[in-house]
Amino acid sequence: VKTTIKLALGATLILSFLPALNAQSKIGYVDSQKILGSLKETQTVQSTLQAEQEKMYKKLQYMQDSLQDAQEDYVKNIKDNALIKDGAKKAIEKGLEDLAYQLQMSQQKFQEDLQKLYQELMQPIFDKVKKAVDNVRKVEGMDFVLDGSSQIILAADTKYEVTQKVLDELVKMADQKDTSKKETKDKK
């Protein structure tokens, strides 16, 4: 009974603070997938990643084909050949295992390299979007801006959605950057 009373008292206390917290904090949200998807830079990164992925895939495919050919050759010409000593067969089997291991490690390195390249190419874009979100947050007097595309927000009034304002801010930032480049060029 005491535990139930403590829980009820705690819940009442928390609930009594919610209106005050809500009145003090203004929270907005954006659809980061929509923002990133609308940027030319993101599309360029996707093209670069796709080209790199295809290049790496060709290398991996060549390695995989070579391994498969070697394995088939072993089964066809060596495995049951009585003229080849067991020690030689074991050495060839070990070589095939090493090739399979190298292929597996290459696949893993390929994934890691691709992820690293993604991070390197996307980080400036993430930084730019974060700056635009922060600019909009300040202008709108918001304390927080959440990402609605991450499915953290289950329901919200669309009046708090600032995705379009962030997109507009990104355009404004790009225009300012272009203007300052032109002015620098004109001075030279």
Side-chain angles (χ1 to χ4, degrees):
V1 175
K2 286 184 180 181
T3 306
T4 306
I5 293 173
K6 285 181 184 178
L7 286 173
L9 185 59
T12 304
L13 194 60
I14 290 171
L15 290 173
S16 67
F17 284 113
L18 284 179
L21 286 174
N22 193 25
Q24 293 175 0
S25 298
K26 186 173 178 187
I27 300 173
Y29 67 96
V30 296
D31 181 346
S32 65
Q33 296 303 312
K34 181 177 179 181
I35 293 169
L36 290 172
S38 69
L39 297 174
K40 290 178 186 176
E41 297 102 315
T42 305
Q43 295 163 3
T44 302
V45 167
Q46 293 299 331
S47 296
T48 302
L49 288 173
Q50 187 173 1
E52 191 64 26
Q53 187 174 18
E54 288 172 8
K55 189 169 51 170
M56 290 178 171
Y57 176 77
K58 286 179 182 179
K59 289 178 184 178
L60 288 174
Q61 190 62 46
Y62 175 78
M63 290 176 70
Q64 193 167 8
D65 291 345
S66 298
L67 175 61
Q68 187 173 351
D69 289 346
Q71 289 171 330
E72 288 172 0
D73 186 49
Y74 172 77
V75 169
K76 186 176 179 182
N77 299 316
I78 299 172
K79 185 177 181 186
D80 295 326
N81 190 331
L83 298 174
I84 300 176
K85 294 183 180 187
D86 286 342
K89 288 180 185 179
K90 295 271 187 223
I92 294 169
E93 288 171 1
K94 174 75 170 117
L96 290 173
E97 288 173 5
D98 289 347
L99 281 174
Y101 179 75
Q102 283 180 339
L103 176 61
Q104 184 180 8
M105 297 283 54
S106 294
Q107 288 170 332
Q108 184 176 349
K109 184 170 178 356
F110 160 67
Q111 290 299 326
E112 291 169 359
D113 289 349
L114 204 58
Q115 183 62 35
K116 183 179 176 185
L117 180 61
Y118 172 81
Q119 276 303 121
E120 288 173 6
L121 295 174
M122 288 299 293
Q123 193 58 53
I125 298 169
F126 293 148
D127 292 343
K128 185 168 115 175
V129 170
K130 185 178 182 311
K131 184 176 180 181
V133 169
D134 198 45
N135 289 347
V136 169
R137 180 193 64 78
K138 289 175 184 174
V139 168
E140 295 295 315
M142 294 180 171
D143 297 304
F144 302 98
V145 177
L146 304 175
D147 184 2
S149 65
S150 65
Q151 298 180 346
I152 293 174
I153 301 172
L154 301 178
D157 191 331
T158 56
K159 71 181 180 183
Y160 299 112
E161 202 226 351
V162 293
T163 301
Q164 189 57 51
K165 290 179 181 180
V166 171
L167 289 170
D168 295 342
E169 179 66 19
L170 286 165
V171 169
K172 183 175 141 186
M173 288 168 54
D175 289 345
Q176 288 172 347
K177 187 176 179 182
D178 290 344
T179 302
S180 67
K181 280 184 181 178
K182 186 179 177 188
E183 289 173 0
T184 304
K185 236 182 185 181
D186 292 341
K187 288 180 182 179
K188 291 180 180 182

